[in-house]
């Protein structure tokens, strides 16, 4: 049965960075609902303005918009062998929807991080606008790169929601809406917990080990 790995955790816990690395390792595509929505906000899609309002305030986009979009994406041929999803589900309702509409084993991976680390991770984050590679200025002696290591582009951007106030709302929303997902997946016996306080490479090694074990089953 195909496997879908869904990554759960607070904003700034490293889901996006690890999803990209795991995607290469497992040779499974990476889906990020946040990236899909950010792209849509800059398009002339009728929903762009609505998305902008929710995202810039740190609130969740309503599930009726998210669910249909995700299911359409996951049903595409490209995802027939499974995938790594970062940013979905974000509520128990979305998790139920995913279970009901997709024929796959869903394995949740929770990035367990000390909340004190989040501010630096979020406020230092900048992104390559061409390929979405993520960097952190605090990890590089506050020097911001000129050229992206991954695609050679030089168009770096910050996310509109990566400021202190919006981070606090996103943390509050996570605790209220998304934290119950841990109980949900634990009850299904489909939850892996990863220590996300470690270095990028240590986390990546632990993730590889955990997902290798799942894929062997
Ligand atoms: P992310 O890039 O995952 O941090 O998502 C950025 C923003 O996109 C979130 O703060 C939400 O406003 C929106 N978003 C992404 N995924 C979802 C989802 N599954 N449900 C609702 N809103 C979402």
């Amino acid at each position: 049965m195909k496997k879908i790995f869904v990554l759960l955790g607070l904003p700034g816990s490293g889901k996006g960075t690890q999803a990209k690395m795991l995607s290469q390792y497992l040779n499974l595509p990476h889906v990020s609902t946040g990236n899909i929505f950010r792209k849509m906000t800059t398009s002339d899609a009728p929903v762009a303005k609505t998305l902008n309002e929710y995202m810039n305030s740190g609130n969740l986009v309503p599930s009726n918009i998210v669910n249909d979009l995700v299911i359409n994406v996951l049903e595409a041929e490209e995802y027939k062998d499974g995938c790594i999803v970062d940013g979905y589900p974000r509520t128990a309702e979305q998790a139920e929807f995913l279970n009901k509409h997709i024929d796959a084993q869903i394995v949740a991976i929770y990035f367990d991080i000390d909340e004190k680390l989040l501010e630096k991770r979020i406020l230092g984050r900048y992104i390559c606008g061409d390929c979405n590679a993520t960097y952190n200025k605090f990890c590089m002696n506050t020097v911001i790169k000129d050229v992206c290591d991954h695609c050679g582009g030089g168009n770096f951007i910050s996310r509109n929601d990566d400021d202190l106030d919006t981070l606090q709302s996103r943390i509050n929303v996570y605790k209220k809406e998304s934290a119950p997902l841990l109980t949900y997946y634990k009850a299904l016996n489909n939850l892996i917990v990863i220590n996300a306080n470690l270095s990028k490479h240590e986390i990546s090694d632990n993730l590889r080990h955990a997902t290798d074990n799942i894929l062997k089953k």
Side-chain angles (χ1 to χ4, degrees):
M1 192 179 209
K2 85 170 173 188
K3 303 226 173 3
I4 297 185
F5 294 98
V6 298
L7 310 191
L8 312 176
L10 281 156
S13 57
K15 302 183 298 293
T17 303
Q18 293 296 335
K20 280 182 214 136
M21 292 162 79
L22 190 62
S23 158
Q24 284 183 351
Y25 177 68
L26 297 179
N27 198 21
L28 287 176
H30 165 212
V31 180
S32 156
T33 45
N35 286 349
I36 295 174
F37 290 149
R38 271 183 288 283
K39 208 164 168 192
M40 286 169 78
T41 58
T42 59
S43 73
D44 53 11
V47 74
K49 192 168 164 270
T50 311
L51 290 178
N52 245 319
E53 282 167 9
Y54 282 106
M55 294 172 79
N56 290 344
S57 61
N59 284 310
L60 293 183
V61 174
S63 288
N64 61 328
I65 301 179
V66 184
N67 284 336
D68 288 343
L69 181 133
V70 171
I71 296 306
N72 276 335
V73 169
L74 296 185
E75 277 173 348
E77 175 68 14
E78 197 186 334
Y79 303 103
K80 68 175 179 6
D81 296 327
C83 59
I84 295 147
V85 187
D86 140 34
Y88 184 92
R90 284 276 230 283
T91 64
E93 184 200 346
Q94 292 180 6
E96 297 275 9
F97 189 90
L98 182 65
N99 254 348
K100 198 162 154 201
H101 289 85
I102 291 286
D103 186 21
Q105 183 193 355
I106 316 287
V107 180
I109 304 178
Y110 171 54
F111 285 60
D112 188 11
I113 191 165
D114 184 341
E115 226 178 291
K116 281 188 255 144
L117 296 179
L118 299 179
E119 243 181 62
K120 248 188 169 175
R121 293 226 185 154
I122 291 288
L123 301 186
R125 175 156 70 180
Y126 63 101
I127 298 169
C128 170
D130 298 319
C131 75
N132 279 320
T134 305
Y135 300 93
N136 192 302
K137 64 183 179 194
F138 298 129
C139 298
M140 285 175 245
N141 306 322
T142 71
V143 176
I144 299 189
K145 282 178 177 285
D146 295 325
V147 175
C148 174
D149 295 340
H150 298 271
C151 73
N155 164 33
F156 291 106
I157 52 172
S158 290
R159 282 174 46 163
N160 289 342
D161 57 351
D162 275 353
D163 61 86
L164 205 49
D165 283 348
T166 318
L167 171 62
Q168 197 51 57
S169 323
R170 287 157 67 202
I171 292 175
N172 294 341
V173 167
Y174 173 85
K175 287 182 178 166
K176 184 163 172 251
E177 306 282 352
S178 309
L181 285 174
L182 300 186
T183 318
Y184 177 88
Y185 284 113
K186 200 171 176 188
L188 295 175
N189 211 7
N190 274 338
L191 180 72
I192 296 172
V193 179
I194 290 286
N195 178 355
N197 300 308
L198 305 176
S199 74
K200 179 164 127 180
H201 293 289
E202 284 169 319
I203 298 171
S204 173
D205 284 347
N206 292 342
L207 261 179
R208 287 174 182 202
H209 185 69
T211 51
D212 279 345
N213 282 340
I214 295 279
L215 290 170
K216 271 188 223 145
K217 282 185 192 162

